[in-house]
PDB file of all heavy atoms in Angstrom:
ATOM      1  N   SER A   5      -9.127 -30.358  -2.599  1.00 90.00           N
ATOM      2  CA  SER A   5      -8.976 -31.377  -1.737  1.00 90.00           C
ATOM      3  C   SER A   5      -8.349 -30.960  -0.327  1.00 90.00           C
ATOM      4  O   SER A   5      -8.911 -31.325   0.724  1.00 90.00           O
ATOM      5  CB  SER A   5      -8.269 -32.644  -2.283  1.00 90.00           C
ATOM      6  OG  SER A   5      -9.018 -33.132  -3.442  1.00 90.00           O
ATOM      7  N   SER A   6      -7.262 -30.248  -0.530  1.00 89.00           N
ATOM      8  CA  SER A   6      -6.672 -29.774   0.664  1.00 89.00           C
ATOM      9  C   SER A   6      -7.448 -28.866   1.400  1.00 89.00           C
ATOM     10  O   SER A   6      -7.429 -28.781   2.740  1.00 89.00           O
ATOM     11  CB  SER A   6      -5.229 -29.248   0.358  1.00 89.00           C
ATOM     12  OG  SER A   6      -5.329 -28.109  -0.473  1.00 89.00           O
ATOM     13  N   ILE A   7      -8.195 -28.054   0.755  1.00 90.00           N
ATOM     14  CA  ILE A   7      -9.084 -27.094   1.430  1.00 90.00           C
ATOM     15  C   ILE A   7     -10.165 -27.766   2.082  1.00 90.00           C
ATOM     16  O   ILE A   7     -10.530 -27.402   3.262  1.00 90.00           O
ATOM     17  CB  ILE A   7      -9.675 -26.012   0.352  1.00 90.00           C
ATOM     18  CG1 ILE A   7      -8.560 -25.123  -0.051  1.00 90.00           C
ATOM     19  CG2 ILE A   7     -10.733 -25.155   1.016  1.00 90.00           C
ATOM     20  CD1 ILE A   7      -8.955 -24.211  -1.307  1.00 90.00           C
ATOM     21  N   VAL A   8     -10.727 -28.808   1.534  1.00 90.00           N
ATOM     22  CA  VAL A   8     -11.705 -29.581   2.113  1.00 90.00           C
ATOM     23  C   VAL A   8     -11.258 -30.198   3.502  1.00 90.00           C
ATOM     24  O   VAL A   8     -11.976 -30.136   4.436  1.00 90.00           O
ATOM     25  CB  VAL A   8     -12.197 -30.771   1.158  1.00 90.00           C
ATOM     26  CG1 VAL A   8     -12.969 -31.728   2.014  1.00 90.00           C
ATOM     27  CG2 VAL A   8     -12.928 -30.201   0.013  1.00 90.00           C
ATOM     28  N   GLU A   9      -9.938 -30.674   3.567  1.00 90.00           N
ATOM     29  CA  GLU A   9      -9.410 -31.253   4.695  1.00 90.00           C
ATOM     30  C   GLU A   9      -9.319 -30.209   5.803  1.00 90.00           C
ATOM     31  O   GLU A   9      -9.586 -30.434   6.932  1.00 90.00           O
ATOM     32  CB  GLU A   9      -8.015 -31.892   4.541  1.00 90.00           C
ATOM     33  CG  GLU A   9      -8.050 -33.157   3.534  1.00 90.00           C
ATOM     34  CD  GLU A   9      -9.111 -34.203   4.051  1.00 90.00           C
ATOM     35  OE1 GLU A   9      -9.061 -34.520   5.241  1.00 90.00           O
ATOM     36  OE2 GLU A   9      -9.964 -34.603   3.230  1.00 90.00           O
ATOM     37  N   GLU A  10      -8.956 -28.870   5.376  1.00 88.00           N
ATOM     38  CA  GLU A  10      -8.871 -27.873   6.399  1.00 88.00           C
ATOM     39  C   GLU A  10     -10.288 -27.619   6.954  1.00 88.00           C
ATOM     40  O   GLU A  10     -10.441 -27.383   8.240  1.00 88.00           O
ATOM     41  CB  GLU A  10      -8.285 -26.626   5.633  1.00 88.00           C
ATOM     42  CG  GLU A  10      -6.857 -26.800   5.359  1.00 88.00           C
ATOM     43  CD  GLU A  10      -5.951 -26.753   6.565  1.00 88.00           C
ATOM     44  OE1 GLU A  10      -6.350 -26.560   7.647  1.00 88.00           O
ATOM     45  OE2 GLU A  10      -4.712 -26.895   6.328  1.00 88.00           O
ATOM     46  N   ILE A  11     -11.333 -27.530   6.121  1.00 90.00           N
ATOM     47  CA  ILE A  11     -12.654 -27.293   6.575  1.00 90.00           C
ATOM     48  C   ILE A  11     -13.076 -28.422   7.573  1.00 90.00           C
ATOM     49  O   ILE A  11     -13.776 -28.160   8.522  1.00 90.00           O
ATOM     50  CB  ILE A  11     -13.717 -27.237   5.333  1.00 90.00           C
ATOM     51  CG1 ILE A  11     -13.202 -25.906   4.560  1.00 90.00           C
ATOM     52  CG2 ILE A  11     -15.069 -27.084   5.893  1.00 90.00           C
ATOM     53  CD1 ILE A  11     -14.095 -25.737   3.292  1.00 90.00           C
ATOM     54  N   LYS A  12     -12.766 -29.607   7.246  1.00 90.00           N
ATOM     55  CA  LYS A  12     -13.083 -30.721   8.069  1.00 90.00           C
ATOM     56  C   LYS A  12     -12.458 -30.499   9.489  1.00 90.00           C
ATOM     57  O   LYS A  12     -13.137 -30.596  10.491  1.00 90.00           O
ATOM     58  CB  LYS A  12     -12.658 -32.084   7.591  1.00 90.00           C
ATOM     59  CG  LYS A  12     -13.354 -32.550   6.405  1.00 90.00           C
ATOM     60  CD  LYS A  12     -12.828 -33.910   5.846  1.00 90.00           C
ATOM     61  CE  LYS A  12     -13.619 -34.402   4.620  1.00 90.00           C
ATOM     62  NZ  LYS A  12     -13.184 -35.661   4.156  1.00 90.00           N
ATOM     63  N   SER A  13     -11.256 -30.045   9.575  1.00 88.00           N
ATOM     64  CA  SER A  13     -10.669 -29.711  10.773  1.00 88.00           C
ATOM     65  C   SER A  13     -11.263 -28.682  11.601  1.00 88.00           C
ATOM     66  O   SER A  13     -11.527 -28.754  12.826  1.00 88.00           O
ATOM     67  CB  SER A  13      -9.200 -29.364  10.685  1.00 88.00           C
ATOM     68  OG  SER A  13      -8.455 -30.474  10.024  1.00 88.00           O
ATOM     69  N   ILE A  14     -11.795 -27.566  10.899  1.00 88.00           N
ATOM     70  CA  ILE A  14     -12.384 -26.413  11.418  1.00 88.00           C
ATOM     71  C   ILE A  14     -13.752 -26.836  12.091  1.00 88.00           C
ATOM     72  O   ILE A  14     -14.187 -26.414  13.054  1.00 88.00           O
ATOM     73  CB  ILE A  14     -12.632 -25.321  10.379  1.00 88.00           C
ATOM     74  CG1 ILE A  14     -11.083 -24.812   9.987  1.00 88.00           C
ATOM     75  CG2 ILE A  14     -13.565 -24.252  10.898  1.00 88.00           C
ATOM     76  CD1 ILE A  14     -11.255 -23.955   8.793  1.00 88.00           C
ATOM     77  N   ILE A  15     -14.590 -27.580  11.259  1.00 89.00           N
ATOM     78  CA  ILE A  15     -15.948 -27.924  11.734  1.00 89.00           C
ATOM     79  C   ILE A  15     -15.951 -29.177  12.648  1.00 89.00           C
ATOM     80  O   ILE A  15     -16.986 -29.521  13.161  1.00 89.00           O
ATOM     81  CB  ILE A  15     -16.854 -28.068  10.518  1.00 89.00           C
ATOM     82  CG1 ILE A  15     -16.516 -29.366   9.748  1.00 89.00           C
ATOM     83  CG2 ILE A  15     -16.911 -26.767   9.674  1.00 89.00           C
ATOM     84  CD1 ILE A  15     -17.464 -29.562   8.558  1.00 89.00           C
ATOM     85  N   SER A  16     -14.848 -29.839  12.798  1.00 88.00           N
ATOM     86  CA  SER A  16     -14.905 -31.071  13.567  1.00 88.00           C
ATOM     87  C   SER A  16     -15.301 -30.943  15.045  1.00 88.00           C
ATOM     88  O   SER A  16     -15.892 -31.774  15.658  1.00 88.00           O
ATOM     89  CB  SER A  16     -13.449 -31.679  13.508  1.00 88.00           C
ATOM     90  OG  SER A  16     -12.517 -30.909  14.126  1.00 88.00           O
ATOM     91  N   THR A  17     -15.081 -29.659  15.537  1.00 82.00           N
ATOM     92  CA  THR A  17     -15.591 -29.396  16.989  1.00 82.00           C
ATOM     93  C   THR A  17     -17.101 -29.581  17.005  1.00 82.00           C
ATOM     94  O   THR A  17     -17.575 -29.732  18.209  1.00 82.00           O
ATOM     95  CB  THR A  17     -15.051 -27.969  17.363  1.00 82.00           C
ATOM     96  OG1 THR A  17     -15.656 -27.024  16.431  1.00 82.00           O
ATOM     97  CG2 THR A  17     -13.560 -27.879  17.381  1.00 82.00           C
ATOM     98  N   ASN A  18     -17.787 -29.535  16.048  1.00 84.00           N
ATOM     99  CA  ASN A  18     -19.193 -29.536  16.083  1.00 84.00           C
ATOM    100  C   ASN A  18     -19.764 -31.020  15.967  1.00 84.00           C
ATOM    101  O   ASN A  18     -20.987 -31.280  16.101  1.00 84.00           O
ATOM    102  CB  ASN A  18     -19.950 -28.757  14.902  1.00 84.00           C
ATOM    103  CG  ASN A  18     -19.588 -27.359  14.931  1.00 84.00           C
ATOM    104  OD1 ASN A  18     -19.397 -26.802  15.978  1.00 84.00           O
ATOM    105  ND2 ASN A  18     -19.437 -26.808  13.703  1.00 84.00           N
TER     106      ASN A  18
END
Side-chain angles (χ1 to χ4, degrees):
S5 294
S6 62
I7 291 172
V8 168
E9 295 306 311
E10 292 291 354
I11 294 175
K12 287 180 180 179
S13 297
I14 292 167
I15 66 176
S16 62
T17 55
N18 300 328

